[in-house]
Amino acid sequence: MRLFLDKLLLLMLFSCVSSAVSSSCQLQGQFDLNEMHQTGDVILGGLFAIHLFSADPDLTFTSEPQLPTCYSFDVIEFRASQTMAFAIDEINRNSNLLPNVTLGYSLYDNCLQIGIGAALSLVSGKGEQVTLEENCLGTPPVLGIVGDASSTSTIAISKVIGLYRVPLVSYFATCSCLSDRQKFPSFFRTIPSDAFQVNAMIQILKHFGWTWAGLLISDDDYGVHAARSFHSDLGPAGGGCLAYTEILPWGDDPAELRRIVDVMRKSTARVVIVFAHERIMLNLMKEVVRQNVTGLQWMASEGWTPGTSLQTPHLMPYLGGTLGIAIRRGEIPGLRDFLLQIRPELHHNTGKGMVNQFWEHTFQCRFAPPPAGWVEAGGELCTGQEVIENVETEFLDVSNLRQEYNVYKAVYALAYALDDMLQCEPGRGPFSNNTCAHLQRLEPWQLVYYLEKVNFTTTFGDQVSFDENGDALPMYDIMNWVWLPDGRTKVQRVGEVKRSAFRGEELTLDEDKIFWNFESKQPPRSVCSESCPPGTRMARKKGEPECCFDCVPCSEGKISNTTDSMECTSCPEDFWSSPQRDHCVPKKTEFLSYHEPLGICLTTTSLLGTFICVVVLGIFIHHRSTPIVRANNSELSFQLLLSLKLCFLCSLLFIGRPRSWTCQLRHAAFGISFVLCVSCILVKTMVVLAVFRASKPGGESSLKWFGAVQQRGTVLVLTSVQAAICTVWLVSASPVPHKNTQYHSDKIVYECAVGSTVGFAVLLGYIGLLAVLSCLLAFLARNLPDSFNEAKLITFSMLIFCAVWVAFVPAYISSPGKYADAVEVFAILASSFGLLVALFGPKCYIILFRPERNTKKAIMGRGTTK
C-alpha cells in the first residue's frame, strides 16, 4: 500500500514549468471529489474516510483518470465530518473566540486513497491552473486541515501539504513515524501516538504479569511501526517478550490466515495483541472460529476496540473479555441537535453528494444514479423528507464520542491558534523585525508557529496542547468486552492510562469490573517459563527468547533472595547459604568444645590424671620417710609428680574456642611441662648410674657431681632452655586464633595457627631429644643388681613416651580442624599416663599392698621380710 501511495503522490505533485515569460503550476488531472463546503473569512479543510475503496485504481493521468471504486458508507466517519461542521458553527457563534472572523470549511470524502487528490484541492483550489511563485509556493485556499484517519494516507498527504507548511491536525492517525518533525514539520494530532499506545499495552501486560504474548499486526504503517515499538520496548519496559509476530493480510487469504491461526493455537502464549483494523479482524476471526481456538486473552488496539461488527453472539465465546485501548471519550453538548438538522435540501449547493449518500444509506433509498466510481445499493426513490429519528442508526448516538471528540479538539486547536495569532500586537510579534501575521497576508507556517504553542481546556475538562513533535497529551481509556448472561455484549470502561508532566505514565485499573472469559473468572497466566523462586537463578534457553529460561538452583555458598534473579550472589565470608539458598546464615563453627562428647571425654581424662597425680603425691608425702620414697632422691619424685600434674592440666588449654591467650599459652605450657617432666626423669637416670659407679672401687668421686643441688640445677637449666625456645617463638611468630574455611565450606573451623612451624618443631624436637637421651641412659642401667632397679621403670616409661609422640606427628599432620587438637591432647594424656603408671604404679603398689617390701634390705636385695 505504501508503494501504491508513493506512486500516487509522484503522479499528483505539481510540475513547475519555468520560462522567461511566466511561471505557473498546473494540475496534471482532476478528481470528481465527494465534498461539502461552507464559506467564511478563513477556510479550514477536512478529510474523512466516509467510503472505503475496492481495488487499486489506474492512476495514469489521462483526460479521464480511472478512479477507485468506493463503497460501504461509514456512518461514524460521516458523523465525524459533521462534528467538524458543528465545531466551526459553534466557534462562529462564540463572541469570545475569533470575534469578527467567520470560519468556513471544505470537507472531502477521502475514500482512503483519493485523499491525496482532496488534499491537493484544499491547498491549491480546484482550478486547472494556479498562479504561484517560481518555486510553486504561495498562499493556499485553506489555512489548516483536519484529517486524515489512516496513518498510511496521512503520511502521503502530509508530504504533499508539507510543501506549503499547511498545518494538518489528524484525529485518528496514530503511527509513531508521524512524530518525526524533519519529515512532517506541519503535522499535529489530537490522538496519542502509537508509541504511547504500545507503552499503555505494555503497562497492562506488566500489571497482570503477562510476559509471553503474541502480536498480530496489519500490513501498513499502523501495524509495522507498532511492531517495531513492541520489539524495542517490551523487554526493557515490561520484562516480557513476543512469542510470535505475524502480519495479517488485507484481503481474504485463507491459506495465510490458516497458517497464522495455527501458530496461535500451537503457541503457549495465552495473550494475543492485535494492532489492526476492524475489517481485518473480521477475516481473522472467521478462521479462529473455524479452528475453534479458545482460551485466549485478546488485547485490542484502538483500531478495533469499538468494533461493533465483532461484538456478536457468534464471536463473543472467543472475544469475550477482550481488553482494548480506546480513544478518550468526551462529551459535546448540542451535537445531537445539530445532527438532527441535516437535510438534503439544506446542502443543495454545499454538499449534496455527501449528504445524499448518507440519506440513501440510512433510509435504503436513492435520489438518482450515483456518480462514476461510486457503488451504492438501489431501492425506492428518496423524498428528502424522511425523519432520521424514526430509524435506528448509530449516527444519533452521541453517548460514546471518541473519534468525534478528537475532531472537535482539532478544530478548536486551529481556532485558538488563529485567535492567538490575530491578537498579536504590532511591533511585538514573534516573526522577523517583531512583525505580526495578518489575516489578509497570512502564511500557513505562521499558523504552525501558534499551533505549537496552543494550550486550552475543553468544556469536558481535558487540556489540549502539543509537544515538540506535534503530539497531544496522551490519554487512553481501557475498555473491556463483557459477555452478559443473556448473550448481549457490553463494552465498559475499566480504567485509563495517561501521561502527566510530573508523574509520567500512570495506569489505573478497576480489576473488580473486568470480565474474564475463563472458567476461573481470573486473569490467565501467560508466561513462557514460570518465575524462578528465590534460591534459583534464570538460565536462558539457547536459541529462544529471553522470557524462556530454566530455573537453576544456586550453588553452595550462593543465594538469590528475589524472584527471577539473573545471578546468585556469594555469601559473606562468615556466612553460608541456607538449605533453600534464599538467604545467608552464619556458618557453623567447629572447635574442640567442652560440650561435645569428645571434649567431655578428654576433659574428664585430663582431670582424672590430675586427680591421680594428687593422690599419688599425697601417698608419697604420707610415706615420705619410707625407703622406697626416699630412694633415688624423693625430691625429684615430687617434682616429677608436679610436672605430670601440669602436663595433665595443660591439655585443657587445647579444649574450648581458641583465643589469643590460649593459643599462646597452650604450646608454651605443654612444652615447658613436658621438659620439666623429662628433665626429672633424665636426672633420675643419671643419679642411678652415678650410684652404681660409686659402689665400685675408685668411683666414690662420681657422686659429688650428682648431689641435690646439682640435680636441681640440671632440671632448672634444661627447663630454662625450653622456656627460652618458647619465649623466642612467642615473640617472633606467636600462635594466633585462625578461622579456617578450607576444610569445610559451610563451617568455620577455629584453630590456633602455630605462627612459626620452625618454632613448634624445635619445641617438640627438644622434648624428643631429652626423651631419647633418658631412654638410652635408662636402657644402659637396666641390669643393675638392685632388686628394685628404677632404671627398668624409666626405660619402659620412656619407650611408651617416645612411641606416643612418634605416632603423634603423622596423626597430627593428617587430622583436620578440631581433630588435630584432639590428637595432641590424646598424645599429652597418653604419654602422661604412661609416665605416671610406669614410674609410680609399682611404688604405690608396694607402699599400699606390699609394705613388707618397703624396707632398705628389701630394696638393696640383702633380705626379704615374710
Side-chain angles (χ1 to χ4, degrees):
M1 183 176 290
R2 281 298 300 277
L3 181 61
F4 169 75
L5 283 172
D6 289 340
K7 176 184 176 184
L8 179 62
L9 178 60
L10 290 172
L11 289 172
M12 296 188 66
L13 284 175
F14 296 112
S15 63
C16 293
V17 181
S18 302
S19 65
V21 178
S22 64
S23 297
S24 66
C25 291
Q26 185 174 358
L27 286 170
Q28 299 302 297
Q30 286 187 321
F31 283 107
D32 185 8
L33 298 169
N34 197 22
E35 56 198 279
M36 179 181 288
H37 301 280
Q38 177 175 301
T39 59
D41 301 326
V42 176
I43 303 300
L44 300 181
L47 298 173
F48 299 91
I50 296 175
H51 285 83
L52 300 179
F53 77 103
S54 60
D56 292 347
D58 178 13
L59 291 173
T60 57
F61 280 94
T62 60
S63 57
E64 293 182 1
Q66 180 68 35
L67 296 179
T69 302
C70 296
Y71 74 106
S72 183
F73 189 89
D74 192 333
V75 175
I76 302 301
E77 280 291 325
F78 181 70
R79 185 173 66 188
S81 69
Q82 297 311 298
T83 302
M84 179 174 177
F86 167 77
I88 290 176
D89 181 69
E90 187 178 66
I91 292 168
N92 288 336
R93 290 184 281 107
N94 187 349
S95 59
N96 295 322
L97 184 61
L98 290 176
N100 304 319
V101 176
T102 301
L103 293 180
Y105 56 79
S106 292
L107 310 181
Y108 287 90
D109 182 2
N110 187 350
C111 190
L112 201 59
Q113 264 101 337
I114 63 173
I116 298 178
L120 288 174
S121 296
L122 286 172
V123 299
S124 64
K126 295 191 66 178
E128 293 185 2
Q129 182 167 315
V130 182
T131 302
L132 300 171
E133 306 295 335
E134 289 185 0
N135 56 358
C136 291
L137 296 178
T139 303
V142 298
L143 292 180
I145 300 175
V146 175
D148 183 20
S150 166
S151 293
T152 299
S153 58
T154 299
I155 292 170
I157 293 169
S158 188
K159 288 180 178 179
V160 175
I161 66 172
L163 298 173
Y164 294 92
R165 295 297 190 268
V166 175
L168 175 67
V169 185
S170 176
Y171 59 91
F172 210 66
T174 57
C175 180
S176 58
C177 59
L178 288 165
S179 297
D180 188 342
R181 225 52 183 152
Q182 298 296 323
K183 295 181 179 180
F184 311 102
S186 61
F187 177 78
F188 299 85
R189 54 183 158 194
T190 54
I191 187 172
S193 163
D194 278 339
F196 179 73
Q197 184 175 188
V198 168
N199 286 335
M201 287 188 168
I202 291 175
Q203 292 291 326
I204 296 174
L205 293 173
K206 186 177 181 180
H207 179 82
F208 290 109
W210 297 332
T211 59
W212 188 235
L215 177 63
L216 306 179
I217 61 172
S218 56
D219 189 12
D220 55 10
D221 295 282
Y222 177 66
V224 171
H225 283 86
R228 290 177 183 172
S229 297
F230 262 111
H231 281 279
S232 62
D233 298 342
L234 182 56
C241 45
L242 297 174
Y244 54 85
T245 302
E246 297 292 341
I247 300 176
L248 297 172
W250 274 94
D252 188 10
D253 187 346
E256 180 64 10
L257 289 172
R258 190 181 306 113
R259 185 193 66 80
I260 292 173
V261 174
D262 192 54
V263 171
M264 296 166 54
R265 181 173 54 82
K266 293 179 179 179
S267 174
T268 57
R270 307 321 303 155
V271 175
V272 180
I273 305 166
V274 184
F275 250 86
H277 307 283
E278 184 176 349
R279 65 192 186 92
I280 298 177
M281 273 298 295
L282 281 172
N283 294 331
L284 173 68
M285 291 311 299
K286 291 177 185 178
E287 185 62 27
V288 170
V289 173
R290 193 189 71 80
Q291 295 194 28
N292 193 28
V293 180
T294 59
L296 297 179
Q297 175 62 47
W298 296 84
M299 289 188 66
S301 67
E302 39 73 34
W304 64 279
T305 293
T308 54
S309 62
L310 295 167
Q311 300 165 15
T312 62
H314 179 60
L315 295 179
M316 286 308 289
Y318 305 92
L319 292 176
T322 295
L323 288 174
I325 302 296
I327 305 168
R328 171 77 165 172
R329 188 188 72 84
E331 294 181 3
I332 307 176
L335 177 60
R336 191 175 190 278
D337 295 334
F338 180 84
L339 298 177
L340 287 170
Q341 297 175 9
I342 294 177
R343 290 287 188 276
E345 66 271 12
L346 297 179
H347 298 273
H348 181 72
N349 296 320
T350 61
K352 177 181 177 181
M354 195 180 294
V355 175
N356 282 2
Q357 290 157 18
F358 162 69
W359 211 261
E360 290 173 343
H361 174 81
T362 302
F363 295 103
Q364 293 297 297
C365 60
R366 59 184 175 85
F367 285 100
W374 298 92
V375 178
E376 292 292 343
E380 298 180 357
L381 290 176
C382 300
T383 65
Q385 301 302 316
E386 290 84 1
V387 180
I388 300 179
E389 289 182 292
N390 291 342
V391 296
E392 185 177 344
T393 174
E394 291 181 279
F395 183 69
L396 297 178
D397 184 7
V398 295
S399 62
N400 192 32
L401 299 177
R402 299 181 185 276
Q403 181 173 315
E404 297 81 0
Y405 187 49
N406 280 349
V407 173
Y408 185 78
K409 291 189 290 185
V411 174
Y412 265 88
L414 288 167
Y416 272 102
L418 186 60
D419 186 63
D420 291 342
M421 183 182 67
L422 296 179
Q423 292 181 15
C424 176
E425 299 180 13
R428 303 181 65 180
F431 306 117
S432 60
N433 299 322
N434 297 324
T435 57
C436 295
H438 297 282
L439 190 61
Q440 292 75 18
R441 300 186 304 275
L442 181 61
E443 296 287 345
W445 61 267
Q446 294 173 322
L447 186 60
V448 170
Y449 171 83
Y450 283 97
L451 197 56
E452 290 174 342
K453 300 183 180 303
V454 77
N455 193 334
F456 65 95
T457 303
T458 67
T459 56
F460 193 59
D462 289 334
Q463 183 183 0
V464 179
S465 63
F466 301 102
D467 62 14
E468 64 276 7
N469 298 318
D471 294 326
L473 287 175
M475 181 180 296
Y476 277 116
D477 288 338
I478 300 174
M479 311 303 292
N480 180 227
W481 289 17
V482 182
W483 189 17
L484 300 174
D486 59 4
R488 293 184 297 110
T489 301
K490 175 184 176 184
V491 179
Q492 66 178 4
R493 181 178 180 273
V494 295
E496 69 175 11
V497 59
K498 61 183 179 181
R499 179 185 296 160
S500 61
F502 303 102
R503 298 183 180 180
E505 293 182 11
E506 291 183 288
L507 172 66
T508 305
L509 276 176
D510 187 354
E511 293 191 44
D512 294 334
K513 293 175 62 177
I514 298 178
F515 168 75
W516 302 105
N517 194 24
F518 304 96
E519 291 184 6
S520 64
K521 303 302 179 185
Q522 296 294 322
R525 290 281 295 167
S526 186
V527 295
C528 181
S529 300
E530 291 295 336
S531 295
C532 290
T536 62
R537 64 174 178 85
M538 295 191 299
R540 287 276 302 275
K541 293 182 179 180
K542 187 176 182 180
E544 296 190 26
E546 60 181 10
C547 295
C548 302
F549 49 82
D550 292 319
C551 296
V552 179
C554 293
S555 57
E556 289 187 347
K558 294 185 176 182
I559 65 157
S560 64
N561 54 12
T562 58
T563 303
D564 291 336
S565 177
M566 295 298 297
E567 296 292 340
C568 296
T569 56
S570 299
C571 289
E573 182 181 2
D574 292 346
F575 290 81
W576 193 248
S577 55
S578 64
Q580 296 77 23
R581 307 284 197 274
D582 56 356
H583 67 282
C584 292
V585 296
K587 286 183 178 180
K588 295 179 180 178
T589 57
E590 182 180 276
F591 54 87
L592 189 58
S593 171
Y594 289 107
H595 305 291
E596 61 178 304
L598 181 59
I600 294 173
C601 180
L602 294 176
T603 302
T604 302
T605 305
S606 173
L607 294 177
L608 177 62
T610 305
F611 175 74
I612 294 175
C613 286
V614 172
V615 171
V616 172
L617 182 62
I619 292 173
F620 270 52
I621 292 175
H622 185 265
H623 298 88
R624 60 185 178 276
S625 58
T626 60
I628 200 166
V629 174
R630 295 180 61 189
N632 200 2
N633 196 342
S634 60
E635 183 179 343
L636 284 177
S637 298
F638 291 132
Q639 288 180 359
L640 183 57
L641 283 172
L642 181 61
S643 64
L644 284 174
K645 185 167 67 173
L646 292 177
C647 289
F648 281 116
L649 291 176
C650 78
S651 64
L652 298 178
L653 294 173
F654 291 84
I655 304 174
R657 181 167 178 169
R659 305 188 183 279
S660 296
W661 67 272
T662 57
C663 287
Q664 295 173 355
L665 188 59
R666 62 167 57 172
H667 289 104
F670 153 71
I672 294 173
S673 299
F674 268 89
V675 165
L676 177 61
C677 177
V678 176
S679 298
C680 293
I681 295 173
L682 178 61
V683 171
K684 268 182 168 290
T685 307
M686 294 172 66
V687 169
V688 170
L689 289 174
V691 170
F692 177 73
R693 181 174 294 181
S695 62
K696 293 182 178 182
E700 295 83 0
S701 61
S702 59
L703 282 177
K704 67 179 180 179
W705 299 106
F706 290 96
V709 176
Q710 286 80 5
Q711 293 177 26
R712 296 192 199 99
T714 303
V715 171
L716 180 61
V717 169
L718 294 176
T719 305
S720 299
V721 172
Q722 184 73 307
I725 293 173
C726 292
T727 302
V728 172
W729 180 20
L730 294 178
V731 171
S732 61
S734 176
V736 292
H738 173 62
K739 294 188 293 186
N740 194 325
T741 58
Q742 301 300 315
Y743 301 134
H744 306 284
S745 299
D746 59 339
K747 292 181 182 180
I748 299 177
V749 177
Y750 285 96
E751 59 185 11
C752 286
V754 295
S756 172
T757 306
V758 175
F760 187 47
V762 171
L763 180 143
L764 291 178
Y766 184 66
I767 297 174
L769 176 63
L770 295 182
V772 170
L773 186 58
S774 298
C775 185
L776 290 176
L777 293 178
F779 180 78
L780 294 175
R782 69 188 185 283
N783 293 323
L784 293 181
D786 288 353
S787 90
F788 184 83
N789 189 355
E790 195 171 14
K792 295 179 181 179
L793 302 178
I794 294 174
T795 302
F796 183 67
S797 66
M798 284 296 99
L799 289 174
I800 296 174
F801 184 88
C802 291
V804 169
W805 286 103
V806 168
F808 160 77
V809 174
Y812 180 82
I813 294 174
S814 61
S815 298
K818 67 178 182 179
Y819 298 103
D821 292 335
V823 167
E824 190 166 357
V825 172
F826 178 80
I828 293 173
L829 296 178
S831 56
S832 298
F833 270 110
L835 295 176
L836 178 63
V837 172
L839 293 176
F840 295 97
K843 293 182 179 180
C844 289
Y845 174 78
I846 292 174
I847 292 173
L848 297 176
F849 301 105
R850 300 295 297 273
E852 69 277 7
R853 296 181 58 184
N854 191 6
T855 61
K856 187 175 181 180
K857 289 183 179 181
I859 292 173
M860 297 301 294
R862 291 191 292 267
T864 302
T865 304
K866 295 181 181 180

